[in-house]
Amino acid sequence: MSLTTSSPLTSAQAASLASHALSILPVESRNAALTAIHTALQTAKPDILAANAKDMTLATRASQNGELSQSVLKRLDLSRPGKYEDMLKGILDVRALPDPIGKVDLRTKLDEGLELERVSCPIGVLLIIFEARPEVIANISALAIKSGNAAILKGGKESSHSFEAIATVISKALAGTDVPSEAIQLVKTRDVIDELLGLDRYIDLVIPRGGNELVRYVKDHTKIPVLGHADGLCSVYLHKDADQVKDIAVKVVVDSKCDYPAACNSAETLLVHEDVLKTVLPDVASALLRRGVSLRCDGQSKAALQETLSKSDAAILQAASEEDFTTEFLDLVMAVKTVPASLPSTTMNGTHSSSDPSASAIDPSLHLAISHINTHSSHHTDTIVTASSPAAEKFLSAIDSAGVYWNASTRFADGMRYGFGTEVGISTNKIHSRGPVGLEGLTIYKYKVRGRGQGAGDYGEGEGQRAFLHEKLDTAG
Amino acid sequence: MSLTTSSPLTSAQAASLASHALSILPVESRNAALTAIHTALQTAKPDILAANAKDMTLATRASQNGELSQSVLKRLDLSRPGKYEDMLKGILDVRALPDPIGKVDLRTKLDEGLELERVSCPIGVLLIIFEARPEVIANISALAIKSGNAAILKGGKESSHSFEAIATVISKALAGTDVPSEAIQLVKTRDVIDELLGLDRYIDLVIPRGGNELVRYVKDHTKIPVLGHADGLCSVYLHKDADQVKDIAVKVVVDSKCDYPAACNSAETLLVHEDVLKTVLPDVASALLRRGVSLRCDGQSKAALQETLSKSDAAILQAASEEDFTTEFLDLVMAVKTVPASLPSTTMNGTHSSSDPSASAIDPSLHLAISHINTHSSHHTDTIVTASSPAAEKFLSAIDSAGVYWNASTRFADGMRYGFGTEVGISTNKIHSRGPVGLEGLTIYKYKVRGRGQGAGDYGEGEGQRAFLHEKLDTAG
């Protein structure tokens, strides 16, 4: 690894060349590099936390002046209980994972002596731009090295002390390994993001790790594919039979909203079937209010809660605007919307139902909830609370999101929790990788063909031409 | 299917809504739609060929006036022997393929009563922009329907008669099936490409099928992911021992160049190890010249050929410029470059070799050939001719292309030949799909979690918190 002050172009060219060498290193060499990084980061914990404390002091001041959000402040803090250990454990988890490179997942005998094979390989050069989470350097370096990719890392100013401290440690650790020094480039120079984003000839994938402004900026300013998500607008839907699973409803909503409100997988919208407005919603609302959540309710849900909650609780309910249902609060705020029990008559003959014959097959209200989520959510993670398996399965099939859950908190959308080791991020893209992205998302494949001099002109339906065998072969062999 | 003159926005919105209905149709309904399309296209062959003949008349005139290239003309012609039958067969091939939707490829028990599952699903809405190949409408409609995706098709003016004829037939055929009519939109309106490319809210993937100018234009004018390739600059490398497999060398080079020069998987560059300039190259060159190929040679290969070829053959050799090694001729032209037997001394101490310790591990000349291809080719398909298995395997590992071949023609890079049924195109992207893209490339996945009300806060290393099981479950079950 090198902590570079050279130009983005020079860095990217060097990373591209190094990626070719890294791509053919055996897994033992890549794992040895991870061991070296882990040991070095463990030893250097006090120094790195001291550097992080400097960043925290500056950031706390900026936050007090209103120049930095609370959520960024939380993400920056490496001294939060378990955070440093999670970072270290993430490196070992990645090391323990099977080698993602060289896996053959398709083998076909095209003809005698003509075999096709599809083999996983690294993508090439990754550009990671991050704001406040300093542990991302360690995570991403581990994932990049394990998957045989070169990486260019560009940190934000909030984490500059932490970044430099971690980078220096990793840099020293890598020097004694087989991983080429230019394979992990740490760019310190400021104001070079636009230049980096223009280097589509050398950089194959950009992964922005930060707030939605950063992600949107990156998406708008590059032709390089971007892996990530600008928004995390997750929803919980309480179905009409949620009174049969009221404890689950309370548990799932409270955890989805309150476990870590600054996270992208926290819920922002609560959809409530009108049948359970007075049976389930009051308990859910009380639990949320006790945790300090501000509730922004539509008319019907607000009226139901005003009837059922204590006067003091009812008094702090807020009215929801349409905008609240497309807002990622990243804070202790939740928008509440009522799902009517039946389809409003106007939509029954509209384009919508005509283009979706299954619309009211199971339950018109379920369809309304699905439609609301498909048109308002950010396709990140959405959950239904219900006792009905058919309703749940319909929801899981029809919701167009990376994560679709039944009776579980949206907060499970995470690479560690899914068992992928550490993650590069969560993708709401519709291609390549969706949801928490681990090692697999950093690989692609190539097709190898081994022949004996065959030409494509030998095959066909003409006279004297051969037919392909297309015989599936065992991929283990 | 509808042949629409409505605005791009209206089309895209309707396609988006229809995609949700299509995404949950059972495979029986999707296959029945393919049967209907196949039968209708078979019946309507005379009408469609008559329409195609009109396009060909106009295009031939344009070609004679120099307004249209020969290669576009060839692509437009549906009456070429076997082309119509291939189109029809492609639909049945796609129908016969296993359902790509609903495949579970990962199941994990996160905890008792908390299961994670990864399931394949459609991407959503595809936008296909094509120029001259009218059969693409049938191919793409089949692939889109089978994979549960909605598609917006925009044809070029060269194929407008063929396009309209095929579209009308498909449209009538689909009317009697379960596939929603708005799921396949055929946009006839002209000059709407820019507007379509701006609809990233409704369109998930763009697939341009046409010349490199079209593909480059599309890539430069949209934020929607683009699947395809702008260039098909494929190479054949004759290694130093190619004299041991001279027949293979001749066969592979001639088929790669001459089988169908207008195709993206045709070879444009011939790299020749200097040891075989006088033993193998002359036979290869004679065979190419007999097929009418113009050879653009570097100094060393030209000198070798002038010594060994007949006077008349030697007289028509051309000198190569640097530009010829980055040019996709798409015609009977081939650039020939010599690969020196040893590394020039100047690069021995350069950055290049320092960042790639394996550079000269097997053979410095092999490394030079690999470097040339990795920096000059379009990462489409490249082949080596050699008797040496270690040299071949080194080439297959180190070349960063979608297809890497040993002793086989580059022309095999094709979805039909790979056994994928018909293809949507060939991708030189480094993410999602690479090489010939069939059904699989039109799918993504979602993560389903089924729980009993668990919250993420229940898990961790704190007091009273649970640990994840992360137990792999059988994906068949």
Side-chain angles (χ1 to χ4, degrees), chain B residues 155-198:
Chain B
K157 69 174 191 308
E158 294 83 5
S159 56
S160 59
H161 291 96
S162 320
F163 173 75
E164 192 159 344
I166 298 178
T168 306
V169 170
I170 296 184
S171 176
K172 280 187 192 154
L174 277 184
T177 75
D178 291 344
V179 172
S181 56
E182 290 90 356
I184 308 279
Q185 304 264 339
L186 295 163
V187 177
K188 274 188 65 186
T189 340
R190 290 191 178 196
D191 306 324
V192 291
I193 290 189
D194 284 341
E195 206 178 332
L196 286 165
L197 293 177

Short mmCIF file of all heavy atoms in Angstrom, two decimals, chain B residues 155-198:
data_model
loop_
_atom_site.label_atom_id
_atom_site.label_comp_id
_atom_site.label_asym_id
_atom_site.label_seq_id
_atom_site.Cartn_x
_atom_site.Cartn_y
_atom_site.Cartn_z
N GLY B 155 -36.20 0.91 -32.35
CA GLY B 155 -35.49 0.46 -33.54
C GLY B 155 -34.88 1.61 -34.31
O GLY B 155 -35.27 2.77 -34.15
N GLY B 156 -33.93 1.29 -35.17
CA GLY B 156 -33.29 2.30 -36.01
C GLY B 156 -34.05 2.47 -37.31
O GLY B 156 -34.86 1.63 -37.69
N LYS B 157 -33.73 3.55 -38.03
CA LYS B 157 -34.50 3.82 -39.23
C LYS B 157 -34.20 2.82 -40.35
O LYS B 157 -35.05 2.51 -41.17
CB LYS B 157 -34.31 5.26 -39.70
CG LYS B 157 -32.93 5.62 -40.25
CD LYS B 157 -32.98 7.05 -40.81
CE LYS B 157 -31.75 7.40 -41.61
NZ LYS B 157 -30.46 7.17 -40.95
N GLU B 158 -32.98 2.24 -40.35
CA GLU B 158 -32.62 1.30 -41.41
C GLU B 158 -33.55 0.08 -41.42
O GLU B 158 -33.80 -0.52 -42.44
CB GLU B 158 -31.18 0.79 -41.26
CG GLU B 158 -30.11 1.84 -41.46
CD GLU B 158 -29.87 2.64 -40.21
OE1 GLU B 158 -30.47 2.30 -39.16
OE2 GLU B 158 -29.10 3.61 -40.26
N SER B 159 -34.00 -0.32 -40.21
CA SER B 159 -34.78 -1.55 -40.13
C SER B 159 -36.27 -1.26 -39.90
O SER B 159 -36.99 -2.12 -39.43
CB SER B 159 -34.24 -2.43 -39.01
OG SER B 159 -34.23 -1.72 -37.80
N SER B 160 -36.72 -0.05 -40.24
CA SER B 160 -38.07 0.33 -39.81
C SER B 160 -39.19 -0.53 -40.40
O SER B 160 -40.13 -0.86 -39.70
CB SER B 160 -38.32 1.82 -40.09
OG SER B 160 -38.18 2.07 -41.47
N HIS B 161 -39.05 -0.96 -41.66
CA HIS B 161 -40.12 -1.82 -42.21
C HIS B 161 -40.12 -3.19 -41.55
O HIS B 161 -41.17 -3.70 -41.15
CB HIS B 161 -39.96 -1.98 -43.74
CG HIS B 161 -40.22 -0.71 -44.50
ND1 HIS B 161 -39.21 0.14 -44.89
CD2 HIS B 161 -41.38 -0.13 -44.91
CE1 HIS B 161 -39.72 1.18 -45.52
NE2 HIS B 161 -41.04 1.05 -45.54
N SER B 162 -38.94 -3.79 -41.43
CA SER B 162 -38.83 -5.10 -40.80
C SER B 162 -39.35 -5.02 -39.37
O SER B 162 -40.10 -5.89 -38.90
CB SER B 162 -37.37 -5.55 -40.75
OG SER B 162 -36.66 -5.23 -41.92
N PHE B 163 -38.92 -3.99 -38.69
CA PHE B 163 -39.27 -3.76 -37.29
C PHE B 163 -40.79 -3.71 -37.11
O PHE B 163 -41.36 -4.43 -36.28
CB PHE B 163 -38.62 -2.42 -36.90
CG PHE B 163 -38.99 -1.89 -35.55
CD1 PHE B 163 -38.46 -2.46 -34.41
CD2 PHE B 163 -39.84 -0.81 -35.44
CE1 PHE B 163 -38.79 -1.95 -33.16
CE2 PHE B 163 -40.18 -0.29 -34.19
CZ PHE B 163 -39.65 -0.87 -33.05
N GLU B 164 -41.43 -2.91 -37.95
CA GLU B 164 -42.87 -2.75 -37.82
C GLU B 164 -43.60 -4.06 -38.13
O GLU B 164 -44.55 -4.43 -37.45
CB GLU B 164 -43.36 -1.63 -38.74
CG GLU B 164 -44.78 -1.24 -38.44
CD GLU B 164 -45.12 0.17 -38.94
OE1 GLU B 164 -44.19 0.93 -39.26
OE2 GLU B 164 -46.32 0.48 -38.99
N ALA B 165 -43.11 -4.78 -39.14
CA ALA B 165 -43.75 -6.05 -39.51
C ALA B 165 -43.63 -7.06 -38.37
O ALA B 165 -44.62 -7.69 -37.96
CB ALA B 165 -43.12 -6.59 -40.78
N ILE B 166 -42.42 -7.20 -37.82
CA ILE B 166 -42.21 -8.16 -36.74
C ILE B 166 -43.02 -7.74 -35.51
O ILE B 166 -43.67 -8.55 -34.85
CB ILE B 166 -40.71 -8.29 -36.38
CG1 ILE B 166 -39.92 -8.82 -37.59
CG2 ILE B 166 -40.51 -9.21 -35.18
CD1 ILE B 166 -38.42 -8.92 -37.37
N ALA B 167 -42.98 -6.45 -35.22
CA ALA B 167 -43.67 -5.94 -34.04
C ALA B 167 -45.17 -6.22 -34.11
O ALA B 167 -45.78 -6.63 -33.12
CB ALA B 167 -43.41 -4.44 -33.91
N THR B 168 -45.75 -6.00 -35.28
CA THR B 168 -47.18 -6.22 -35.43
C THR B 168 -47.52 -7.69 -35.19
O THR B 168 -48.50 -8.00 -34.50
CB THR B 168 -47.62 -5.79 -36.86
OG1 THR B 168 -47.19 -4.44 -37.07
CG2 THR B 168 -49.12 -5.86 -37.01
N VAL B 169 -46.69 -8.58 -35.73
CA VAL B 169 -46.93 -10.01 -35.55
C VAL B 169 -46.83 -10.40 -34.07
O VAL B 169 -47.69 -11.09 -33.52
CB VAL B 169 -45.93 -10.83 -36.41
CG1 VAL B 169 -45.99 -12.30 -36.06
CG2 VAL B 169 -46.21 -10.60 -37.89
N ILE B 170 -45.77 -9.93 -33.42
CA ILE B 170 -45.58 -10.27 -32.00
C ILE B 170 -46.73 -9.70 -31.18
O ILE B 170 -47.27 -10.34 -30.27
CB ILE B 170 -44.23 -9.74 -31.48
CG1 ILE B 170 -43.07 -10.43 -32.22
CG2 ILE B 170 -44.10 -9.96 -29.98
CD1 ILE B 170 -41.69 -10.06 -31.72
N SER B 171 -47.12 -8.49 -31.52
CA SER B 171 -48.19 -7.82 -30.79
C SER B 171 -49.48 -8.62 -30.82
O SER B 171 -50.10 -8.89 -29.79
CB SER B 171 -48.39 -6.44 -31.43
OG SER B 171 -49.45 -5.76 -30.84
N LYS B 172 -49.85 -9.08 -32.02
CA LYS B 172 -51.07 -9.89 -32.14
C LYS B 172 -50.92 -11.20 -31.38
O LYS B 172 -51.85 -11.68 -30.74
CB LYS B 172 -51.34 -10.20 -33.63
CG LYS B 172 -52.02 -9.05 -34.37
CD LYS B 172 -52.41 -9.46 -35.78
CE LYS B 172 -52.81 -8.24 -36.61
NZ LYS B 172 -52.59 -8.47 -38.05
N ALA B 173 -49.74 -11.80 -31.47
CA ALA B 173 -49.52 -13.09 -30.81
C ALA B 173 -49.65 -12.97 -29.30
O ALA B 173 -50.20 -13.85 -28.63
CB ALA B 173 -48.14 -13.63 -31.18
N LEU B 174 -49.15 -11.88 -28.75
CA LEU B 174 -49.16 -11.72 -27.28
C LEU B 174 -50.55 -11.41 -26.73
O LEU B 174 -50.82 -11.68 -25.56
CB LEU B 174 -48.20 -10.61 -26.86
CG LEU B 174 -46.73 -11.00 -26.72
CD1 LEU B 174 -45.93 -9.82 -26.20
CD2 LEU B 174 -46.56 -12.21 -25.79
N ALA B 175 -51.41 -10.86 -27.59
CA ALA B 175 -52.73 -10.43 -27.10
C ALA B 175 -53.48 -11.56 -26.42
O ALA B 175 -54.22 -11.35 -25.46
CB ALA B 175 -53.54 -9.84 -28.25
N GLY B 176 -53.29 -12.80 -26.88
CA GLY B 176 -54.02 -13.91 -26.29
C GLY B 176 -53.31 -14.57 -25.12
O GLY B 176 -53.68 -15.67 -24.72
N THR B 177 -52.27 -13.94 -24.57
CA THR B 177 -51.50 -14.58 -23.49
C THR B 177 -51.65 -13.80 -22.18
O THR B 177 -52.27 -12.73 -22.15
CB THR B 177 -50.00 -14.63 -23.85
OG1 THR B 177 -49.45 -13.31 -23.71
CG2 THR B 177 -49.79 -15.12 -25.28
N ASP B 178 -51.05 -14.34 -21.11
CA ASP B 178 -51.13 -13.68 -19.79
C ASP B 178 -50.17 -12.50 -19.64
O ASP B 178 -50.23 -11.78 -18.65
CB ASP B 178 -50.78 -14.68 -18.68
CG ASP B 178 -51.84 -15.76 -18.54
OD1 ASP B 178 -52.96 -15.54 -19.07
OD2 ASP B 178 -51.55 -16.78 -17.91
N VAL B 179 -49.24 -12.37 -20.58
CA VAL B 179 -48.25 -11.29 -20.46
C VAL B 179 -48.95 -9.95 -20.68
O VAL B 179 -49.62 -9.76 -21.70
CB VAL B 179 -47.10 -11.49 -21.49
CG1 VAL B 179 -46.18 -10.28 -21.52
CG2 VAL B 179 -46.32 -12.76 -21.16
N PRO B 180 -48.84 -9.03 -19.71
CA PRO B 180 -49.55 -7.75 -19.84
C PRO B 180 -49.13 -7.02 -21.12
O PRO B 180 -47.95 -7.05 -21.49
CB PRO B 180 -49.11 -6.94 -18.62
CG PRO B 180 -48.39 -7.86 -17.72
CD PRO B 180 -48.01 -9.08 -18.50
N SER B 181 -50.07 -6.38 -21.76
CA SER B 181 -49.79 -5.77 -23.06
C SER B 181 -48.72 -4.70 -22.97
O SER B 181 -47.96 -4.47 -23.91
CB SER B 181 -51.07 -5.21 -23.66
OG SER B 181 -51.66 -4.30 -22.76
N GLU B 182 -48.62 -4.01 -21.82
CA GLU B 182 -47.63 -2.93 -21.71
C GLU B 182 -46.22 -3.45 -21.37
O GLU B 182 -45.28 -2.66 -21.24
CB GLU B 182 -48.04 -1.90 -20.66
CG GLU B 182 -49.25 -1.06 -21.05
CD GLU B 182 -50.56 -1.71 -20.60
OE1 GLU B 182 -50.51 -2.85 -20.07
OE2 GLU B 182 -51.62 -1.09 -20.78
N ALA B 183 -46.08 -4.76 -21.19
CA ALA B 183 -44.77 -5.30 -20.78
C ALA B 183 -43.73 -5.19 -21.89
O ALA B 183 -42.54 -5.10 -21.62
CB ALA B 183 -44.90 -6.74 -20.32
N ILE B 184 -44.18 -5.25 -23.14
CA ILE B 184 -43.24 -5.04 -24.26
C ILE B 184 -43.73 -3.83 -25.04
O ILE B 184 -44.80 -3.86 -25.65
CB ILE B 184 -43.17 -6.28 -25.19
CG1 ILE B 184 -42.88 -7.56 -24.41
CG2 ILE B 184 -42.13 -6.05 -26.29
CD1 ILE B 184 -41.44 -7.81 -24.04
N GLN B 185 -42.98 -2.77 -24.98
CA GLN B 185 -43.36 -1.53 -25.65
C GLN B 185 -42.46 -1.32 -26.85
O GLN B 185 -41.23 -1.36 -26.73
CB GLN B 185 -43.12 -0.34 -24.71
CG GLN B 185 -43.81 -0.44 -23.38
CD GLN B 185 -45.13 0.29 -23.39
OE1 GLN B 185 -45.34 1.17 -24.22
NE2 GLN B 185 -46.01 -0.06 -22.47
N LEU B 186 -43.07 -1.10 -27.99
CA LEU B 186 -42.26 -0.81 -29.18
C LEU B 186 -42.43 0.66 -29.53
O LEU B 186 -43.51 1.10 -29.90
CB LEU B 186 -42.73 -1.68 -30.34
CG LEU B 186 -42.49 -3.17 -30.09
CD1 LEU B 186 -43.31 -4.02 -31.02
CD2 LEU B 186 -41.01 -3.49 -30.25
N VAL B 187 -41.38 1.42 -29.35
CA VAL B 187 -41.48 2.86 -29.57
C VAL B 187 -41.14 3.18 -31.02
O VAL B 187 -40.04 2.91 -31.48
CB VAL B 187 -40.52 3.61 -28.62
CG1 VAL B 187 -40.58 5.10 -28.90
CG2 VAL B 187 -40.89 3.33 -27.18
N LYS B 188 -42.11 3.72 -31.73
CA LYS B 188 -41.90 4.06 -33.14
C LYS B 188 -41.45 5.50 -33.33
O LYS B 188 -40.79 5.82 -34.29
CB LYS B 188 -43.21 3.87 -33.91
CG LYS B 188 -43.45 2.46 -34.40
CD LYS B 188 -44.65 2.42 -35.32
CE LYS B 188 -44.43 3.22 -36.60
NZ LYS B 188 -45.66 3.29 -37.42
N THR B 189 -41.86 6.34 -32.37
CA THR B 189 -41.55 7.76 -32.49
C THR B 189 -40.05 7.96 -32.70
O THR B 189 -39.24 7.31 -32.08
CB THR B 189 -41.97 8.49 -31.21
OG1 THR B 189 -42.93 7.69 -30.52
CG2 THR B 189 -42.52 9.85 -31.51
N ARG B 190 -39.72 8.90 -33.56
CA ARG B 190 -38.30 9.17 -33.83
C ARG B 190 -37.71 10.14 -32.81
O ARG B 190 -38.43 10.82 -32.10
CB ARG B 190 -38.15 9.78 -35.22
CG ARG B 190 -38.46 8.75 -36.28
CD ARG B 190 -38.05 9.27 -37.64
NE ARG B 190 -38.32 8.23 -38.62
CZ ARG B 190 -37.81 8.22 -39.83
NH1 ARG B 190 -37.00 9.18 -40.21
NH2 ARG B 190 -38.09 7.25 -40.67
N ASP B 191 -36.40 10.19 -32.79
CA ASP B 191 -35.69 11.23 -32.04
C ASP B 191 -36.06 11.26 -30.56
O ASP B 191 -36.18 12.32 -29.97
CB ASP B 191 -35.95 12.62 -32.64
CG ASP B 191 -35.64 12.65 -34.12
OD1 ASP B 191 -34.67 11.97 -34.51
OD2 ASP B 191 -36.35 13.32 -34.87
N VAL B 192 -36.32 10.11 -29.99
CA VAL B 192 -36.68 10.10 -28.58
C VAL B 192 -35.62 9.40 -27.74
O VAL B 192 -35.81 9.18 -26.55
CB VAL B 192 -38.03 9.39 -28.35
CG1 VAL B 192 -39.16 10.20 -28.94
CG2 VAL B 192 -38.02 7.99 -28.91
N ILE B 193 -34.50 9.06 -28.35
CA ILE B 193 -33.49 8.31 -27.61
C ILE B 193 -33.02 9.07 -26.37
O ILE B 193 -32.95 8.52 -25.28
CB ILE B 193 -32.31 7.91 -28.52
CG1 ILE B 193 -32.81 6.83 -29.51
CG2 ILE B 193 -31.15 7.37 -27.71
CD1 ILE B 193 -31.73 6.18 -30.33
N ASP B 194 -32.72 10.36 -26.54
CA ASP B 194 -32.24 11.13 -25.39
C ASP B 194 -33.26 11.14 -24.25
O ASP B 194 -32.90 11.04 -23.08
CB ASP B 194 -31.90 12.57 -25.79
CG ASP B 194 -30.58 12.63 -26.56
OD1 ASP B 194 -29.80 11.67 -26.43
OD2 ASP B 194 -30.35 13.62 -27.26
N GLU B 195 -34.53 11.27 -24.63
CA GLU B 195 -35.56 11.31 -23.60
C GLU B 195 -35.63 9.96 -22.87
O GLU B 195 -35.71 9.91 -21.65
CB GLU B 195 -36.91 11.65 -24.25
CG GLU B 195 -37.86 12.30 -23.28
CD GLU B 195 -39.18 12.69 -23.95
OE1 GLU B 195 -39.20 12.96 -25.17
OE2 GLU B 195 -40.20 12.69 -23.23
N LEU B 196 -35.57 8.87 -23.64
CA LEU B 196 -35.59 7.54 -23.02
C LEU B 196 -34.39 7.36 -22.09
O LEU B 196 -34.52 6.83 -20.98
CB LEU B 196 -35.57 6.46 -24.10
CG LEU B 196 -36.88 6.24 -24.88
CD1 LEU B 196 -36.62 5.42 -26.14
CD2 LEU B 196 -37.92 5.56 -24.00
N LEU B 197 -33.23 7.82 -22.53
CA LEU B 197 -32.01 7.64 -21.73
C LEU B 197 -32.04 8.43 -20.42
O LEU B 197 -31.27 8.16 -19.51
CB LEU B 197 -30.77 8.03 -22.55
CG LEU B 197 -30.45 7.12 -23.75
CD1 LEU B 197 -29.26 7.64 -24.53
CD2 LEU B 197 -30.19 5.69 -23.28
N GLY B 198 -32.94 9.42 -20.36
CA GLY B 198 -33.06 10.21 -19.13
C GLY B 198 -34.01 9.60 -18.11
O GLY B 198 -34.08 10.07 -16.97
#
